[in-house]
Amino acid sequence: MPDLATGRHRLPLLAVSQALKEVTHNEALVLIDALLHTEIENILSLAPVPTDIDIGKCWLIGPAPSGSWATKSGHIAIWVGGSWRFVEPQNGMRVWNKALNRQILYVTGQWISAPVISVPNGGTVVDIQARATLIAILQFFRSTGILAT
């Protein structure tokens, strides 16, 4: 039987004459719930010890993960109560990082966030600080696709 899943996020699809359709349907709902306006708690390389109050919470798996997250670097880990579900990020995916209090974006195989840009405090004419600030802003807008490269 072919793999019955959606193309992008691998959400499970129901099969004709499938027994226990509610299991497949509920699994799809869990993934949709986590992926719709995704909010991650933090970026970690070692799985936290979640409890029942953590059901539905997500974490972004950092570099060199170990334990139950081994081989899942860059994936989103969803605690569903008793086990983890993993979602492979797709180009253009945006998530809210609660720990950083800002959005991060998945572009060409890596998660990026807006740079912290210092406010120029130089003189009254265009100076090195002002140019550096403008360059940083333009580079970020280009990397996120807001401006063409």
Side-chain angles (χ1 to χ4, degrees):
M1 178 159 84
D3 183 20
L4 293 173
T6 61
R8 225 173 137 210
H9 291 297
R10 310 299 304 151
L11 300 174
L13 296 171
L14 298 176
V16 175
S17 303
Q18 174 183 335
L20 299 171
K21 290 182 193 248
E22 67 277 5
V23 173
T24 302
H25 177 74
N26 289 343
E27 179 67 17
L29 290 177
V30 164
L31 293 171
I32 290 168
D33 182 53
L35 293 173
L36 187 65
H37 305 293
T38 307
E39 176 181 77
I40 61 165
E41 300 298 311
N42 206 345
I43 301 170
L44 301 174
S45 292
L46 183 61
V49 181
T51 64
D52 285 346
I53 63 169
D54 295 316
I55 292 173
K57 290 184 180 178
C58 301
W59 286 264
L60 182 60
I61 302 175
S66 60
S68 59
W69 287 1
T71 74
K72 300 291 185 184
S73 181
H75 286 62
I76 296 170
I78 308 157
W79 180 247
V80 295
S83 65
W84 293 100
R85 297 293 185 278
F86 301 100
V87 174
E88 186 173 354
Q90 302 297 315
N91 223 16
M93 183 180 273
R94 296 174 190 271
V95 301
W96 183 257
N97 185 330
K98 287 173 63 175
L100 296 176
N101 198 31
R102 62 180 151 164
Q103 193 177 75
I104 58 175
L105 172 69
Y106 189 78
V107 180
T108 60
Q110 64 181 352
W111 289 99
I112 61 171
S113 63
V116 176
I117 300 173
S118 300
V119 176
N121 60 7
T124 58
V125 296
V126 175
D127 60 12
I128 293 171
Q129 284 184 333
R131 288 181 194 274
T133 299
L134 290 172
I135 288 168
I137 292 167
L138 290 171
Q139 285 175 335
F140 176 71
F141 284 162
R142 287 185 180 117
S143 72
T144 60
I146 293 171
L147 293 176
T149 56

